Amino acid sequence: MSAIFLLIVVFLLCLAIFDLFVGVSNDAVNFMQSAVGARVATFRTILLVASCGVVVGAVMSSGMMDVARHGIMTPCYFSLTEVMVLFLAVMVTDVIVLDVFNSLGMPTSTTVSLVFELLGASFILAVVKMTGDSSLTFNELLNTDKALSVIIAIFVSVAVAFVFGMLVQWLARVIFTFHYKRSSGVFVALFGGLAFTALAYFIFIKGLGKSPYLSSDFRTWTSEHTPVLLSAVFAGATLLMGVLHVLRVNVFRVVVLMGTFALAMAFAGNDLVNFIGVPLAGLDAYQDYLFHGLSSGVSPDDYRMTVLMDSASTPPGYLLLAGVIMIVAMATSKKAKKVIQTSVDLSRQDEGDEMFGSSRAARAIVRTVQHASDNLANLVQHVPVLQRVGVWIDSRFTVNSEIEENRPAFDVVRAAVNLVLASMLIALGTTFKLPLSTTYVTFMVAMGTSLADRAWSRESAVFRVTGVISVIGGWFITAGAAFTACALICLSMYYGGLVVQLAFIALVIYLLSRSARKGSAKGADAESEEVYRLMMRTEDPEIVWDLLKKYVRRTQSESAGFALSAYQQLLDGFEQHRPSPLRRTMRQLRSAKERLRKLRRQQLVALRRVPAEIAVERNTWFHVGVNASQQYIYCLQRMLEPIKEHVDNNFTPLAQELKDEYQPIKMRIVELMRDTENQISSGRFDAYRDTLAAADNVKDELSVYRHRQITRIQGITDNASLQVALLYLNLLQESQQLLSNMRHQLRAAKKFME
């Protein structure tokens, strides 16, 4: 029996390593989003600063592991068997839930997922135990206060962070404007001093000041003299920032980098328990049974986990190793960059592609706010004093109109406010023993500051609001999904025994390997996103036009290549009477349709940034080319759906005579489409007219084939033969349409690019 528990403990520790990677992919947005969005330094420098904060926070986090041990359940009422099943269910659910959210690029709270997974598994086991022993109650078996405090903190932190972010950023922008480099040195010094003091309090008083590695006398002295220490720090920091400003050092960049260190330290110190707390608790439970229960001959079903009632004493080596793993994850995880980009895109200052659509709730909110704003503006127009104040305030929000290539998503003023305010709110919540989520606070502060900065224009507001609603909704969905899924998994493991537990272990391994394969297959999308972001950051219209031509050329050549691949795969499935290529083609067409819709939206936004005379001249050809790419997909779907139904039902295969008849046409279509792809990708259209003429000739031949097939059909009396004959006729018709789409795309590409 002990060998089974050893297997579970080893698997939990392996999942802890992966959970660190997944968790950092999710939570890197908390402390890196502002620095990356404002581009205060190279990504390598930002990563180095964040890594230092992660290592310090991880080593100091030993006292934070108790929530996994006895924060939700009361372990003295549970046996070793029950605790190991509970911990295994929690880790399996946690990895799956977080990996799904990160794959979608949606930030979620690791704190909420852990707490509700523990609550779900503990709840279902408590129900099982109460069913067998009516003397037990929920109050004895569960610590529901912890979960309730987290739920309350969610609502409080979302509202408070958003409102304060909006107010503080509005005030900061009125003081510094978007031309912050021209601001008074006094204001810059005061802001830098205040920010430094807030971050110093966050790092030293809240973080290092409560470290278990420092003496109790030092911690007591620090707590008693906090006001004096903060006053001294503020005075010294203000003087230092003033000197740096005189020396032409960008004070805001210094504040942003220090804020990145502070939040990274808080993340590692507070949230490390979310990743390794459960596996380490499982390891302690197993070791306690080996040393005490096994030698006494006590069954694992009867051995109570009283050891988990004690506070954790995590070896520093484990914590340091966890910090190193998180650093590696930040440096290598593509998902981390994707989640960071989600928050950056939702808070960027300039126009761009909106990754979220429009929702009814967002439209209602934007319409209501716009109506109230219009009424307020009408009221101000009738009061001269308010009108003058309004004009002055508007002048403070005038965006820098200088042409700046590869402009950041937002400036360092907003980045500094994001980090300082998030740090202060988390420190304030800790003071009042309110377990704020770093994810909620940092994300909602960023949304509030972007709104105050007027980054949500009338054209983009509904999409930004939809994005915020989607992300917040995702957090709440996490709670419900984590609770329900973990409860069901735990119940099935408890009653299914070793077989079900091994099945879930195998399922997790399969899902993680599949997720890794999917992540490695998204290189083209990542490259497209990078080109698009470069166009959005570049202010020179001529440079945008050059980038857009290359972007459109690549995407349209990829569209032609995809259509060719899908066409060949479709025909292989039809001719060989195999359903698997047809099903694969169906999935690929659905995915291609979504990707094409996104690319069209991005390219339309970029087209509005090119010189006006070029945009007007090339607009028609742009739409003709994109429509041709869409028609490829619709044509292939019309070709595929009846063929797939025919083959899936194992109806009469295509006759060899018809295969031989179509083969020369198929080869010529493949050759023409490959030639079209090469011309578009290279931008050389020397053989343009020859390709169009050859396509017309093939279409004429297809017309002859169609008339011949219609004549054959008129003489068919067998229903089975009639069905496949009609299918072949549809293939001929859609092949003609495919060539028409190819001609439109080639012609549009030439006119757009030359």
Side-chain angles (χ1 to χ4, degrees):
M1 181 64 74
S2 60
I4 297 173
F5 294 128
L6 176 61
L7 173 65
I8 293 177
V9 169
V10 171
F11 183 70
L12 289 178
L13 294 175
C14 292
L15 282 187
I17 296 174
F18 182 82
D19 211 12
L20 283 170
F21 273 90
V22 175
V24 170
S25 299
N26 176 77
D27 285 0
V29 66
N30 295 343
F31 48 87
M32 294 179 67
Q33 178 253 351
S34 294
V36 171
R39 207 172 294 127
V40 298
T42 63
F43 187 79
R44 182 178 299 179
T45 302
I46 296 170
L47 182 63
L48 178 63
V49 172
S51 299
C52 294
V54 165
V55 170
V56 173
V59 173
M60 299 297 176
S61 67
S62 178
M64 298 297 296
M65 299 296 170
D66 291 344
V67 65
R69 298 166 65 90
H70 53 256
I72 301 299
M73 64 175 175
T74 309
C76 60
Y77 288 96
F78 293 85
S79 68
L80 174 66
T81 302
E82 292 165 341
V83 164
M84 296 304 285
V85 169
L86 186 150
F87 287 159
L88 180 59
V90 166
M91 290 302 294
V92 166
T93 308
D94 194 55
V95 170
I96 294 173
V97 169
L98 291 181
D99 191 58
V100 167
F101 273 83
N102 287 332
S103 297
L104 296 174
M106 299 288 289
T108 188
S109 172
T110 53
T111 303
V112 170
S113 63
L114 175 76
V115 168
F116 278 89
E117 284 154 4
L118 284 169
L119 183 60
S122 302
F123 172 81
I124 203 68
L125 285 184
V127 171
V128 172
K129 293 181 71 67
M130 290 168 58
T131 303
D133 186 354
S134 58
S135 63
L136 295 174
T137 63
F138 277 119
N139 288 335
E140 292 176 325
L141 297 171
L142 300 180
N143 181 8
T144 55
D145 292 342
K146 183 68 175 180
L148 181 62
S149 64
V150 170
I151 294 173
I152 293 174
I154 290 172
F155 289 101
V156 172
S157 63
V158 166
V160 170
F162 184 81
V163 171
F164 273 84
M166 184 171 56
L167 294 176
V168 173
Q169 178 60 29
W170 185 87
L171 183 61
R173 191 60 70 192
V174 168
I175 295 174
F176 296 108
T177 75
F178 283 95
H179 306 274
Y180 58 89
K181 295 179 181 179
R182 308 173 190 172
S183 301
S184 168
V186 176
F187 288 124
V188 172
L190 288 173
F191 176 83
L194 181 63
F196 189 94
T197 304
L199 295 174
Y201 173 75
F202 187 68
I203 294 173
F204 297 106
I205 307 300
K206 178 187 176 297
L208 301 181
K210 296 185 178 181
S211 170
Y213 302 106
L214 299 178
S215 66
S216 58
D217 293 339
F218 180 79
R219 293 199 300 267
T220 302
W221 183 87
T222 302
S223 177
E224 292 176 352
H225 296 82
T226 297
V228 176
L229 289 173
L230 292 180
S231 299
V233 169
F234 176 72
T238 302
L239 180 60
L240 175 62
M241 295 300 174
V243 172
L244 291 177
H245 182 70
V246 171
L247 296 176
R248 299 187 179 279
V249 175
N250 193 325
V251 171
F252 295 100
R253 289 179 181 267
V254 175
V255 171
V256 170
L257 291 176
M258 185 177 177
T260 301
F261 175 88
L263 279 183
M265 190 194 75
F267 155 73
N270 295 336
D271 292 356
L272 188 60
V273 62
N274 301 339
F275 312 132
I276 67 173
V278 169
L280 290 181
L283 178 62
D284 285 348
Y286 175 71
Q287 290 176 334
D288 182 69
Y289 176 73
L290 283 183
F291 295 141
H292 301 95
L294 189 61
S295 59
S296 304
V298 182
S299 168
D301 296 332
D302 299 323
Y303 190 73
R304 301 299 171 187
M305 289 288 95
T306 308
V307 65
L308 297 182
M309 296 295 294
D310 300 329
S311 294
S313 179
T314 309
Y318 288 172
L319 299 175
L320 182 60
L321 178 61
V324 172
I325 292 174
M326 287 192 287
I327 291 173
V328 174
M330 286 190 298
T332 60
S333 174
K334 295 180 180 179
K335 289 182 180 179
K337 296 178 182 179
K338 182 178 179 181
V339 177
I340 290 171
Q341 194 57 47
T342 298
S343 288
V344 170
D345 284 345
L346 282 174
S347 56
R348 67 183 182 275
Q349 187 68 35
D350 57 355
E351 183 183 25
D353 173 51
E354 304 297 339
M355 65 176 294
F356 296 93
S358 172
S359 65
R360 180 178 297 180
R363 290 194 294 268
I365 292 172
V366 171
R367 190 176 294 111
T368 301
V369 172
Q370 188 64 50
H371 182 68
S373 176
D374 292 341
N375 290 337
L376 181 61
N378 292 333
L379 178 63
V380 168
Q381 292 296 327
H382 295 87
V383 182
V385 175
L386 293 179
Q387 186 177 2
R388 287 194 293 271
V389 172
V391 171
W392 179 79
I393 292 176
D394 286 341
S395 68
R396 311 297 288 178
F397 284 84
T398 302
V399 180
N400 190 350
S401 59
E402 298 176 1
I403 292 179
E404 181 181 353
E405 185 175 347
N406 203 12
R407 188 172 64 183
F410 44 82
D411 64 7
V412 290
V413 174
R414 198 198 315 168
V417 172
N418 285 344
L419 291 165
V420 173
L421 189 57
S423 301
M424 292 176 68
L425 288 175
I426 294 172
L428 184 64
T430 304
T431 302
F432 289 101
K433 302 186 183 301
L434 185 65
L436 296 182
S437 166
T438 53
T439 302
Y440 297 142
V441 171
T442 53
F443 181 83
M444 293 310 298
V445 166
M447 294 303 99
T449 56
S450 64
L451 177 61
D453 246 359
R454 302 184 181 182
W456 298 11
S457 66
R458 191 161 189 150
E459 287 73 23
S460 65
V462 67
F463 304 112
R464 304 286 178 93
V465 174
T466 299
V468 173
I469 293 174
S470 300
V471 173
I472 296 175
W475 293 336
F476 290 103
I477 291 173
T478 303
F483 180 92
T484 305
C486 197
L488 294 176
I489 291 174
C490 184
L491 188 64
S492 61
M493 286 184 178
Y494 182 78
Y495 284 110
L498 180 62
V499 174
V500 175
Q501 293 166 18
L502 291 176
F504 272 107
I505 291 175
L507 175 63
V508 167
I509 294 173
Y510 166 72
L511 292 176
L512 296 182
S513 61
R514 188 183 68 171
S515 176
R517 289 196 303 270
K518 285 184 177 180
S520 63
K522 295 180 179 179
D525 286 342
E527 185 179 354
S528 297
E529 290 295 326
E530 187 62 33
V531 173
Y532 173 71
R533 285 195 291 271
L534 180 60
M535 287 191 292
M536 292 300 98
R537 301 290 179 262
T538 302
E539 291 297 312
D540 190 335
E542 295 292 342
I543 296 177
V544 174
W545 170 237
D546 289 338
L547 290 171
L548 180 59
K549 283 196 297 184
K550 296 176 183 177
Y551 190 29
V552 171
R553 183 175 68 193
R554 190 177 75 237
T555 56
Q556 290 201 0
S557 66
E558 288 174 356
S559 174
F562 169 78
L564 172 58
S565 174
Y567 172 72
Q568 291 177 298
Q569 190 170 254
L570 181 157
L571 289 178
D572 288 343
F574 187 29
E575 293 171 355
Q576 300 170 17
H577 209 67
R578 292 175 54 235
S580 56
L582 303 176
R583 294 168 187 163
R584 185 164 58 249
T585 306
M586 182 71 77
R587 292 193 298 269
Q588 291 172 349
L589 287 174
R590 291 197 198 100
S591 177
K593 185 188 293 185
E594 292 300 318
R595 183 170 186 268
L596 186 60
R597 183 181 294 118
K598 179 179 180 181
L599 290 175
R600 180 173 192 166
R601 190 166 59 237
Q602 290 181 342
Q603 291 167 0
L604 270 175
V605 172
L607 190 62
R608 295 201 293 265
R609 299 171 64 87
V610 307
E613 64 278 6
I614 295 179
V616 172
E617 179 187 352
R618 307 297 174 93
N619 180 65
T620 299
W621 297 115
F622 167 77
H623 285 286
V624 170
V626 174
N627 288 338
S629 298
Q630 287 180 323
Q631 288 303 318
Y632 271 144
I633 296 174
Y634 296 139
C635 177
L636 290 167
Q637 283 180 326
R638 292 193 301 269
M639 195 183 297
L640 171 65
E641 288 171 358
I643 292 176
K644 180 177 177 295
E645 181 182 2
H646 186 87
V647 175
D648 275 342
N649 291 324
N650 203 29
F651 291 157
T652 304
L654 185 66
Q656 187 62 42
E657 176 189 357
L658 298 181
K659 293 180 186 178
D660 294 340
E661 178 183 271
Y662 188 74
Q663 187 65 23
I665 291 289
K666 171 187 171 182
M667 298 304 297
R668 293 177 66 183
I669 292 176
V670 168
E671 182 181 350
L672 287 170
M673 293 186 68
R674 186 173 290 124
D675 187 45
T676 297
E677 178 190 2
N678 292 335
Q679 289 187 53
I680 296 175
S681 63
S682 65
R684 300 180 62 181
F685 299 94
D686 300 336
Y688 161 74
R689 295 192 179 279
D690 294 338
T691 303
L692 294 184
D696 283 334
N697 292 334
V698 176
K699 287 177 63 179
D700 292 339
E701 289 186 39
L702 282 168
S703 295
V704 174
Y705 280 39
R706 282 179 55 213
H707 291 301
R708 183 188 306 166
Q709 182 64 10
I710 292 172
T711 303
R712 289 176 185 151
I713 290 173
Q714 291 172 346
I716 293 176
T717 57
D718 180 15
N719 184 59
S721 300
L722 177 63
Q723 190 165 2
V724 72
L726 291 172
L727 205 59
Y728 180 62
L729 178 63
N730 179 71
L731 175 63
L732 296 174
Q733 293 171 332
E734 294 301 335
S735 297
Q736 281 187 305
Q737 185 60 48
L738 191 70
L739 287 171
S740 296
N741 297 336
M742 187 204 75
R743 294 182 79 259
H744 291 321
Q745 187 189 51
L746 180 60
R747 185 163 176 258
K750 179 179 183 296
K751 297 291 186 181
F752 182 81
M753 297 173 195
E754 287 189 343

